[in-house]
Amino acid sequence: TLNELSKLGYKIVPESAIEIISELNQKLGVEEQILWRSSHVVEFQVMVAQRKAKEILKAQESLIFLDRDILDCLAFCELRGVKPTPELLHIVDQNKPSLLFLLDTLSNFQQKIGTGRTCDKETSIMVNKLIRKVYEARKIPVIRVKEGPVSESVKFILENLK
């Protein structure tokens, strides 16, 4: 969906966590990266939030589509049962999106263990629920984008921007 929006000329900010996981994989190896992230949940989320905040500032656009937003870090902290640090909360408070399009977890979800990602399909569904909860608690409108053809998702998103 984001690739199609990019082709239409919209600014896209990629998922920071995947970039950082890739960097950690190169530095530590996949297994060590997974162990580090599981024992440094908040530190990892701070890294993600800091990177995302820099990318948003660099974009300098009035309309940006993000593959995961900074607020998502709070959902991942809740998922892992850890309390966000004041540093993370400060980054979150400085970056408030105006709207969230929350895409359903795909029915053909692939775990991608070899990349260092640790979410399975059930966890992905739980993360979506937690993300909705985080945004709604901050009074940010959440629009669900149901699974379907990419062209229909893009059309739905663009219609709901108006």
Side-chain angles (χ1 to χ4, degrees), residues 11-115:
K11 178 65 181 170
I12 306 298
V13 175
E15 183 180 355
S16 299
I18 292 299
E19 294 172 349
I20 295 170
I21 288 170
S22 179
E23 292 164 9
L24 289 171
N25 284 343
Q26 291 176 4
K27 184 177 177 180
L28 305 173
V30 174
E31 289 179 23
E32 285 299 315
Q33 171 272 127
I34 292 171
L35 288 172
W36 183 87
R37 280 194 310 131
S38 67
S39 62
H40 297 85
V41 174
V42 178
E43 292 92 331
F44 177 72
Q45 293 304 326
V46 168
M47 291 169 64
V48 170
Q50 289 172 333
R51 170 94 44 104
K52 185 62 78 174
K54 286 179 188 173
E55 292 293 323
I56 291 169
L57 279 174
K58 194 166 71 174
Q60 295 185 351
E61 302 271 338
S62 59
L63 175 62
I64 307 169
F65 288 97
L66 308 174
D67 188 345
R68 296 251 180 249
D69 183 53
I70 293 169
L71 283 176
D72 295 14
C73 295
L74 299 180
F76 280 99
C77 284
E78 186 170 339
L79 176 73
R80 303 292 182 216
V82 297
K83 186 176 178 179
T85 61
E87 180 182 15
L88 179 57
L89 292 172
H90 177 73
I91 297 167
V92 166
D93 289 342
Q94 298 301 310
N95 296 275
K96 184 178 177 185
S98 57
L99 175 67
L100 171 69
F101 289 103
L102 186 60
L103 281 67
D104 283 349
T105 297
L106 298 174
S107 56
N108 65 347
F109 179 90
Q110 296 177 352
Q111 191 167 352
K112 302 179 185 178
I113 292 176
T115 66

